[in-house]
Amino acid sequence: MNKIALITGGSRGLGRAGALALAAEGCDIVITYHSNEQAANSLVNEVEWAGQRALALQLDTADMDSFAPFVANLTHQLTNKFGRSTIDYLVNNAGVGINALFADTTLEQVDTLLNMHVKGPYFLSQSLLPVIANGGAILNVSSGLSRFCFPGYSAYGMAKGAVEVMTRYMAKELGPRKIRVNTLAPGAIETDFRGGEVRDNHGLNQAIASQTALGRVGLPDDIGGAIAILLSDKSYWINGQRVEASGGMML
């Protein structure tokens, strides 16, 4: 029986790359999307063309009141499409970026980031516990910005730091079910995150590349491969860890 991975925010960027990398390893895919149904359906088609089954479900991962009906719908959809009611992998990937200097950051901005990056993954993972198979794995996506600092990302980096602490506690408490929990912390990646600034701003791209040991900015496939590796059974003994995938940025 194929493994099934649920990836939040899987229609674009890093989530999409992770879905395709996992599909290439023989994994069936469920993604969530917030509003871009067209991109989500395109990803589903691509996974199915690759020979795996796929499903896209709408979810606002900052709306914690929606989690119970989402889980009920997910269980129903899994049974109908995949013939089982559990998943093997959960990737908490959905997120937003807000750039504001510390002196100018508002309460609303902090609440948005904490709801999306901390409270959402915390309570979604909790809600999904009956659906995650024993021996499965959870991967929480953090950021290199929890280690190195750039002006304007204090609230974002703070939220991602909380994700990393959350990961360790989840790994400790889910150990009896043999569910592994790790953090993946990407560096700067060429996606449409924050309007594609890393991808489209040549000066910024080159500046980051100059501070990266491998001499370039990361690509989505770099992170997709890391997601597949960390969820693989070959990484079974990696648990409760923060793994940075940044090409050696800001060493």
Side-chain angles (χ1 to χ4, degrees):
M1 182 179 297
N2 290 349
K3 302 283 190 180
I4 300 175
L6 169 60
I7 304 174
T8 66
S11 62
R12 298 183 298 167
L14 305 186
R16 180 181 184 277
L20 293 174
L22 286 165
E25 296 294 327
C27 193
D28 292 331
I29 304 296
V30 181
I31 64 165
T32 74
Y33 65 95
H34 182 257
S35 58
N36 195 337
E37 185 176 8
Q38 182 177 358
N41 289 335
S42 176
L43 185 279
V44 166
N45 290 335
E46 194 164 352
V47 170
E48 291 179 340
W49 289 335
Q52 302 304 127
R53 294 174 293 183
L55 176 68
L57 300 174
Q58 196 280 330
L59 178 67
D60 180 354
T61 52
D63 179 9
M64 281 140 276
D65 291 336
S66 71
F67 292 169
F70 169 78
V71 173
N73 182 40
L74 171 66
T75 304
H76 174 74
Q77 297 284 353
L78 287 171
T79 302
N80 286 345
K81 190 171 184 73
F82 302 104
R84 52 181 289 200
S85 58
T86 59
I87 61 173
D88 300 285
Y89 308 135
L90 168 63
V91 183
N92 286 309
N93 166 73
V96 295
I98 294 176
N99 181 275
L101 293 174
F102 170 70
D104 302 324
T105 299
T106 66
L107 176 61
E108 181 182 12
Q109 289 172 323
V110 171
D111 284 343
T112 295
L113 289 168
L114 292 179
N115 285 339
M116 177 65 75
H117 294 284
V118 184
K119 293 167 65 178
Y122 186 98
F123 288 108
L124 180 61
S125 299
Q126 183 188 81
S127 298
L128 286 166
L129 285 179
V131 183
I132 302 173
N134 290 342
I138 299 173
L139 189 61
N140 296 320
V141 177
S142 178
S143 170
L145 289 165
S146 66
R147 176 178 67 83
F148 47 77
C149 302
F150 287 98
Y153 289 101
S154 62
Y156 181 82
M158 176 180 68
K160 289 304 192 181
V163 168
E164 297 176 8
V165 175
M166 176 180 72
T167 291
R168 294 195 293 273
Y169 275 91
M170 290 171 68
K172 183 74 170 179
E173 296 193 25
L174 298 181
R177 290 184 55 189
K178 303 298 185 285
I179 294 174
R180 298 177 291 119
V181 189
N182 288 297
T183 297
L184 175 63
I189 309 295
E190 291 187 2
T191 68
D192 57 4
F193 188 71
R194 281 198 48 79
E197 62 180 357
V198 171
R199 179 191 61 215
D200 301 333
N201 184 325
H202 179 73
L204 176 62
N205 189 291
Q206 291 303 111
I208 293 171
S210 71
Q211 299 178 73
T212 302
L214 293 180
R216 64 167 173 83
V217 170
L219 303 174
D221 285 348
D222 296 324
I223 306 304
I227 290 172
I229 289 168
L230 287 172
L231 292 177
S232 165
D233 289 343
K234 294 179 182 179
S235 298
Y236 177 76
W237 210 238
I238 300 174
N239 191 28
Q241 302 303 307
R242 176 192 189 273
V243 178
E244 183 171 306
S246 68
M249 184 176 172
M250 302 287 288
L251 295 177

